[in-house]
Amino acid sequence: LVGSEMCIRDRYLYPGGRQDPEILALEKASSDDFFMERIEGIPSPPQGMVFTEIRADIHIQDVKYEPDVPVHIWIDPGYAEAYACEIVQVVNDQIRVIDEIYERDLVTDEMIDIAQSRPWWRDAKFGVIDIAGYQHQAMAAPAERWLERTGIYFDSQKIRINDGTERLKSFLKTDPVDQKEPRIVFNPQCKGILSEFGIQPNPFDGQTRAYRWKMDRDGNIVGESPQDQYNHGVKAIIYGLINRYGYGYVTGSNTIKVRRW
């Protein structure tokens, strides 16, 4: 009954519903955490999360594999913690993470077997992998094994983690007034990377194991880089975004060199 009364009240106060100008103005003026928790009733991510920009109501969409559209495989071979393969299609310049292979304690050949069994495999064309994927271990490096078995070359480069994080945040950013589609969306079945964002529990043990900043006892962020764990799906996406779009801004220096004529 209370819920029904609240709905009637809200429709009276905000006749435009979710798209009412006053609601949109409040959304633009508030932080995402405040708006989601106080206005929409969606719990805020746990404290210390690296990515607070992701919104379950915006960035999680039922995007599915579209035949004849090239498929990109973006990989961070985290081995014991998580070997993450994020499966991407780019449609209307929107990054759609349509599927994911997120496993633990599997070797590259087993990951390839899983990939080749998926419906999207016939359109798999491009790959990006962590630069560590070219480092030799007891057997062939992961990138070389993918190339040998699938014929797909996996591009790679060294990524500055904080700059890469900022690039992903730029794709997550939305404008509630313009109501444009977000630049990146995730299928709800991509439970590994969604657990790293703090939206779903870890698929291996059901616990909350999200990508976080280092925190002191008082809840303050310590250091300039996040903890390097529970981030393999996130890093795979970062590698792919940087490879395809670059950093998007001037990095690596406090000064900008100007050619004088």
Side-chain angles (χ1 to χ4, degrees), residues 26 41 49 72 102 109 111 134 136 158-159 166 172 183 214 226 250-251 257 260:
L26 181 60
M49 295 290 300
H72 303 248
Y102 195 90
D109 278 293
M111 298 295 285
Y134 277 97
H136 288 269
K158 188 173 180 60
I159 302 295
E166 186 64 26
L172 291 168
R183 296 188 68 189
K214 299 173 184 176
V250 177
T251 60
K257 294 182 179 180
R260 298 186 182 276

Side-chain angles (χ1 to χ4, degrees), residues 24-205:
L24 294 177
L26 181 60
E27 183 175 11
K28 190 170 187 179
S30 307
S31 69
D32 286 347
D33 289 348
F34 179 90
F35 185 83
M36 289 172 64
E37 189 162 21
R38 301 295 182 86
I39 308 302
E40 292 192 317
I42 301 173
S44 293
Q47 189 176 18
M49 295 290 300
V50 175
F51 292 94
T52 59
E53 296 81 2
I54 188 163
R55 296 271 301 271
D57 59 325
I58 292 177
H59 297 102
I60 300 180
Q61 298 185 14
D62 191 25
V63 287
K64 294 183 172 63
Y65 161 59
E66 293 193 15
D68 302 321
V69 175
V71 167
H72 303 248
I73 305 174
W74 296 348
I75 297 178
D76 183 70
Y79 306 105
E81 190 174 286
Y83 192 137
C85 300
E86 303 301 326
I87 312 306
V88 170
Q89 288 186 304
V90 183
V91 180
N92 297 325
D93 206 34
Q94 182 186 60
I95 303 298
R96 298 182 178 180
V97 187
I98 60 169
D99 196 10
E100 163 186 86
I101 307 171
Y102 195 90
E103 300 290 343
R104 186 168 59 184
D105 300 326
L106 293 189
V107 298
T108 296
D109 278 293
E110 293 171 304
M111 298 295 285
I112 293 172
D113 290 340
I114 295 172
Q116 291 180 327
S117 71
R118 299 288 172 90
W120 46 259
W121 178 256
R122 72 182 186 90
D123 285 315
K125 306 293 184 185
F126 308 105
V128 178
I129 196 168
D130 178 14
I131 196 168
Y134 277 97
Q135 296 174 356
H136 288 269
Q137 298 183 353
M139 57 183 70
E144 294 178 357
R145 192 62 181 151
W146 278 92
L147 176 61
E148 180 180 334
R149 284 198 54 190
T150 70
I152 299 174
Y153 172 76
F154 280 75
D155 206 351
S156 180
Q157 69 183 94
K158 188 173 180 60
I159 302 295
R160 300 182 292 272
I161 186 61
N162 286 350
D163 292 333
T165 298
E166 186 64 26
R167 192 56 168 141
L168 176 49
K169 287 185 176 186
S170 75
F171 273 75
L172 291 168
K173 186 175 181 180
T174 59
D175 188 330
V177 174
D178 291 343
Q179 290 297 307
K180 293 180 180 179
E181 280 287 303
R183 296 188 68 189
I184 186 168
V185 293
F186 302 84
N187 185 290
Q189 296 303 313
C190 298
K191 298 181 179 180
I193 191 170
L194 293 179
S195 74
E196 297 174 359
F197 284 130
I199 292 177
Q200 293 190 8
N202 183 278
F204 302 130
D205 61 15

